[in-house]
Amino acid sequence: MTDTPVLLSLSNITKRFGALTANDSISLDLHRGEILALLGENGAGKTTLMNILFGHYVQDEGDVRVLGNGGLRALPPGSPGAALRAGIGMVHQHFTLAENLSGLANIRLGTEPLVSFGREGAARAKVQKIIAESGLDVDLERRVADLTVGEKQRIEILKALYRDAKVLILDEPTAVLTPQEAEGLFAVLRRLAANGLGVIFISHKLGEVLAVSHRILVLRGGKTAGELETAVADRRAIADLMVGKAVAAVVRTPANPGEVLFALEDVSLHGAGGGRALSGVHLTLRAGEVVGLAGVSGNGQSGIAALISGLAVPTSGTMRLYGDTVTRPDPRALVAKGVARMPEDRQHDGVVGTMSVADNIAIEEVRSGAFSRMGLLDRKAMRERAASAISAYDVRCQGPDAEARLLSGGNVQKLILARVLERGPRVILANQPTRGLDVGAQAEVHRRILAARDRGAAVLVISEDLDELFALADRFVVVHAGELQDAGPSDGLDRGTIGLMMAGQGPAAAELAS
């Protein structure tokens, strides 16, 4: 791609937030027709860099230049309007569409008046031309509220192309897509690149990066860690760059499932507004087995997690723990009975930021008397437990008294792991256990989960990353529109079959289609 013109050039971009340097002299060039993958763990500086490019932040040093008439021209800092006029388009992970308007109206929104005599026909013709050239086929007349997630994403991309974008930034674009929808997106991106568009593809899924990009830029700790041509890259090389050292592979050995420790029997759960979040769900978790729960975000995973955590009560059906019916789920009682959870939102639901590491590790056991003497907290015992956990789980912090809010995302997750696993729980809910973590931290979390399984725990892993589920799960279940399907042992499955089930096809139909 180096023989094609540079569309975008970032030179020595530095951005500081107080004492923290989020971007430290980062440079990159994006060429016409190139798909550049931008990788890095949570906190590596990717989001800050893109916010500078799109004008949401102003850099302290360096400049951004975009191809215009007469060559590369400096982009005024801190101006999203200037970025849009220069041809930079961005599709965020969470879409910003007006659900009550049509696809065409959303594409035009913010660019031109929706009510303008004779303009709608010209706008429709322009969009249809873009669709023909890009393959972004979607019904422009339907309300956005009635479109699938993949179709909504296509509207977002069409919106950027309608504004004559030369550069398209996609932030974690497959997080809400089935594997089949992701493959469709990749085909579109390849076609757009072939037509001269430059694409920056931000992701943490190494398989997707290898499948769609031409070049890979890795950030680590706010700096450029390295650059690879995708044609000669592999997962190990990328992982080593992201972490800064070799990452040992985690191998899942065959499971030896035992007795059923937790079960949902024909469970339904009402969601917000009285609608059904779950309908007639059957789920069994056995000792010594990891069950992987796959599904497009928002299809019922949060309801299942809430039931296991004791944060929700079934509207109908039966929940059993160790064979006994749970009539009134209570988080504290479930913890006391050996149920542990790694919550999806670890920063808000997993720790209390203003409390110390020692307090956060002990927080679920304080009422049990494990850390009290004669009715008073045993601070020495809490610090000793924390010091042991910090060492065993490599929690990088300033000791047991450090505030949890000062820890990175990866270290918060290690803290939660220590709190969850050191008690030797019998049932474990791991909800998005490695989201945003670098591959080294991911590997450590995976090792700990599999070790818990091998000690006899029943584990449910909820993840939007199929690579993660295939690495951990002995058995798959798939949720779609609040209904759960048993996909069977993971060794007999592939991504295509799971993807079709995520889209609502039954196991038999998915198997035939794949």
Side-chain angles (χ1 to χ4, degrees), residues 10-14 24-28 59-63:
L10 279 68
S11 301
N12 302 313
I13 298 295
T14 297
D24 189 352
S25 194
I26 295 175
S27 299
L28 70 82
Q59 65 269 31
D60 296 310
E61 298 170 20
D63 60 74

Side-chain angles (χ1 to χ4, degrees), residues 334-403:
L334 289 176
V335 167
K337 290 182 178 180
V339 179
R341 70 175 186 128
M342 297 167 58
E344 178 179 8
D345 187 342
R346 53 182 174 262
Q347 293 288 357
H348 293 98
D349 296 335
V351 295
V352 180
T354 55
M355 291 172 59
S356 70
V357 169
D359 288 341
N360 273 284
I361 288 177
I363 196 169
E364 291 185 340
E365 296 182 84
V366 168
R367 290 181 180 271
S368 70
F371 295 104
S372 62
R373 284 185 178 181
M374 301 176 66
L376 298 175
L377 283 179
D378 187 345
R379 291 286 180 184
K380 180 181 178 183
M382 291 169 62
R383 288 192 184 94
E384 287 176 351
R385 166 74 75 84
S388 174
I390 288 168
S391 175
Y393 288 79
D394 190 27
V395 182
R396 299 180 186 180
C397 62
Q398 298 298 313
D401 295 324
E403 288 188 7

Side-chain angles (χ1 to χ4, degrees), residues 179-227:
Q180 285 80 6
E181 288 173 326
E183 286 298 330
L185 173 65
F186 298 160
V188 166
L189 293 182
R190 295 185 190 102
R191 195 165 176 175
L192 290 173
N195 290 337
L197 190 75
V199 179
I200 297 178
F201 183 88
I202 303 172
S203 178
H204 70 278
K205 299 178 181 179
L206 302 190
E208 294 181 353
V209 165
L210 290 168
V212 74
S213 68
H214 298 109
R215 187 163 53 96
I216 301 165
L217 183 69
V218 180
L219 303 184
R220 186 174 71 247
K223 299 181 180 181
T224 301
E227 194 176 304

Side-chain angles (χ1 to χ4, degrees), residues 239-501:
D240 292 351
L241 268 182
M242 290 176 70
V243 181
K245 62 182 180 182
V247 179
V250 178
V251 179
R252 175 175 54 86
T253 56
N256 184 27
E259 62 179 317
V260 175
L261 300 184
F262 179 89
L264 298 176
E265 300 171 358
D266 198 24
V267 166
S268 294
L269 178 67
H270 284 172
R276 282 200 169 187
L278 296 173
S279 179
V281 166
H282 291 268
L283 173 67
T284 57
L285 303 180
R286 296 180 178 274
E289 182 182 50
V290 175
V291 175
L293 175 57
V296 176
S297 179
N299 273 269
Q301 296 95 320
S302 60
I304 293 173
L307 288 169
I308 296 175
S309 303
L311 298 172
V313 179
T315 307
S316 62
T318 304
M319 188 165 105
R320 298 188 190 278
L321 181 65
Y322 315 137
D324 298 326
T325 300
V326 181
T327 54
R328 299 184 66 180
D330 174 76
R332 190 184 305 159
L334 289 176
V335 167
K337 290 182 178 180
V339 179
R341 70 175 186 128
M342 297 167 58
E344 178 179 8
D345 187 342
R346 53 182 174 262
Q347 293 288 357
H348 293 98
D349 296 335
V351 295
V352 180
T354 55
M355 291 172 59
S356 70
V357 169
D359 288 341
N360 273 284
I361 288 177
I363 196 169
E364 291 185 340
E365 296 182 84
V366 168
R367 290 181 180 271
S368 70
F371 295 104
S372 62
R373 284 185 178 181
M374 301 176 66
L376 298 175
L377 283 179
D378 187 345
R379 291 286 180 184
K380 180 181 178 183
M382 291 169 62
R383 288 192 184 94
E384 287 176 351
R385 166 74 75 84
S388 174
I390 288 168
S391 175
Y393 288 79
D394 190 27
V395 182
R396 299 180 186 180
C397 62
Q398 298 298 313
D401 295 324
E403 288 188 7
R405 66 183 178 84
L406 301 177
L407 274 61
S408 68
N411 284 302
V412 167
Q413 192 70 326
K414 291 177 188 177
L415 186 158
I416 294 170
L417 264 178
R419 183 176 69 209
V420 165
L421 299 182
E422 285 300 289
R423 300 199 315 269
R426 299 185 68 192
V427 177
I428 299 171
L429 166 67
N431 195 350
Q432 311 297 339
T434 63
R435 178 186 282 165
L437 303 188
D438 67 66
V439 289
Q442 287 178 18
E444 179 63 20
V445 171
H446 289 177
R447 270 193 291 272
R448 296 284 185 176
I449 288 173
L450 291 173
R453 179 206 72 170
D454 293 341
R455 288 198 301 269
V459 185
L460 178 68
V461 176
I462 302 176
S463 179
E464 292 162 11
D465 186 342
L466 282 185
D467 288 341
E468 174 165 67
L469 289 181
F470 274 104
L472 290 174
D474 303 302
R475 182 164 56 89
F476 267 80
V477 292
V478 181
V479 64
H480 172 76
E483 297 184 353
L484 201 67
Q485 302 178 72
D486 188 349
S490 57
D491 291 343
L493 297 169
D494 56 36
R495 293 174 60 91
T497 301
I498 295 297
L500 289 169
M501 292 177 69

